Amino acid sequence: MRATAPVQASLGLEAAEPDRLLHWEPEDWPLAPGWHATVSAFLGSTAGLRLASFIRERLAAGATIYPPRPFRALELTPLHTVRAVILGQDPYHGPGQAEGLAFSVRQGVKLPPSLRNIFNELRGSPEEALPQHGSLAAWAHRGVLLLNTSLTVEEGVPGSHAKKGWEVLTDALLGQVASEASPCVYMLWGAHAQAKAGLIEETSARHGREALVLQANHPSPLSARRPPVPFIGCGHFGLARDWLAARGHPGVF
C-alpha cells in the first residue's frame, strides 16, 4: 500500500475514473499516514483473505461492485488529523453514487435523501443555502473520518457485502481511532452505528482520550423523525462544533 499525504489527494474522483471496483488490489491502494499497520494486518488475516476471495469471486462472476476506491476514507484522512467520525453502514448501491466516503456522493450526483437531511441539520437556519454538491471530501480533509462498516456493496443490493469480513477491519480502525485520536466526536446514527458506542467509549476511556459520542436515529427519511431520538433536530453538528472549538479545534464542520 502506498502512503499518500492529504495534499496529494484530490477533492473529487476524476471524471474519467470508473465508478465501480474493477480489480481487488488493496496492496496498491493509497493510504494516508497512520493506517498502514492496521490495514496490512487485516489483509493478511483469515478474515482478510476470506474477504479477498469473496470479492474476487464476485468480480469474476460479473458483479458490479461499488465504490471504485474502497479505502478512500483512509486515503484522505490521516489518523493524526481525525477529530470526528461519522459511521455509515455500507456504500450507496446506485450507479455513480458511491465515492468511498460514508454518506458522500460524487459531484454532479443528485443528493440522496439521507444526505439532504444531513445538510438540513448542518445548516444554521432554513434560509441558509444547501451545499452545491454532495461530495464530503472537504470534510475528510478537515479531519472527519467518513467510514462505513462495510467498504463495498453490489449494485442494487444494500448490505450484500455485510458480514464478509469488512467489519473486522472497520472495528479495528474504530478501536485505533478511539485509542489515539483526542479530542474526537463520534456521530452514531441508527442502530447499526450505535452498536459501536461501547467499543468507542471503553477504548477511549482505557487510553485516556476525550470522546464525545452522539447518538440519534438514522438520517434516512424512514427514520429521521421517529423517536426515541429523531435525527431531525438532534443538534449534533452544533454540539460537535462547540465541543471541538472549546478544545482548540474550530472549523471541522
Side-chain angles (χ1 to χ4, degrees):
M1 285 157 291
R2 295 179 285 112
T4 179
V7 295
Q8 295 173 314
S10 63
L11 279 175
L13 293 171
E14 298 295 334
E17 185 174 13
D19 70 347
R20 66 196 65 189
L21 182 68
L22 299 181
H23 308 285
W24 176 255
E25 298 173 340
E27 296 81 4
D28 294 333
W29 297 343
L31 295 174
W35 307 118
H36 187 276
T38 299
V39 173
S40 292
F42 168 74
L43 293 175
S45 71
T46 299
L49 294 172
R50 286 177 179 169
L51 175 68
S53 178
F54 167 74
I55 292 183
R56 287 191 179 112
E57 287 175 2
R58 296 304 299 142
L59 287 171
T64 297
I65 297 174
Y66 302 124
R69 285 151 59 180
F71 286 171
R72 195 153 184 256
L74 306 178
E75 175 186 341
L76 299 189
T77 310
L79 175 60
H80 72 273
T81 71
V82 175
R83 291 291 169 256
V85 177
I86 295 179
L87 186 63
Q89 188 163 345
D90 55 7
Y92 293 118
H93 54 85
Q97 290 182 308
E99 63 167 359
L101 305 171
F103 295 105
S104 180
V105 294
R106 293 181 177 207
Q107 295 191 29
V109 175
K110 181 180 177 181
L111 296 184
S114 293
L115 182 56
R116 183 172 291 274
N117 280 339
I118 290 170
F119 283 161
N120 281 327
E121 187 62 26
L122 174 70
R123 59 184 178 172
S125 69
E127 292 76 29
E128 186 177 327
L130 290 173
Q132 295 289 316
H133 57 78
S135 176
L136 303 180
W139 289 13
H141 283 290
R142 294 201 297 268
V144 182
L145 184 64
L146 296 159
L147 188 67
N148 285 310
T149 54
S150 293
L151 301 186
T152 53
V153 71
E154 293 185 23
E155 183 175 21
V157 190
S160 50
H161 288 195
K163 299 182 180 179
K164 301 298 184 182
W166 279 127
E167 294 85 352
V168 175
L169 173 61
T170 53
D171 278 3
L173 293 169
L174 282 174
Q176 185 179 9
V177 172
S179 68
E180 298 187 39
S182 184
C184 188
V185 177
Y186 299 83
M187 296 183 179
L188 308 181
W189 301 327
H192 188 86
Q194 289 165 10
K196 309 300 182 182
L199 166 66
I200 293 165
E201 291 169 341
E202 292 164 14
T203 306
S204 297
R206 187 167 67 250
H207 290 85
R209 307 305 183 193
E210 284 192 286
L212 177 63
V213 178
L214 302 173
Q215 302 185 55
N217 283 4
H218 194 276
S220 164
L222 297 174
S223 58
R225 297 184 184 276
R226 291 182 179 178
V229 185
F231 176 80
I232 301 299
C234 68
H236 282 185
F237 290 107
L239 291 168
R241 287 190 197 102
D242 291 346
W243 189 82
L244 288 170
R247 287 156 179 79
H249 297 282
V252 174
F253 291 108

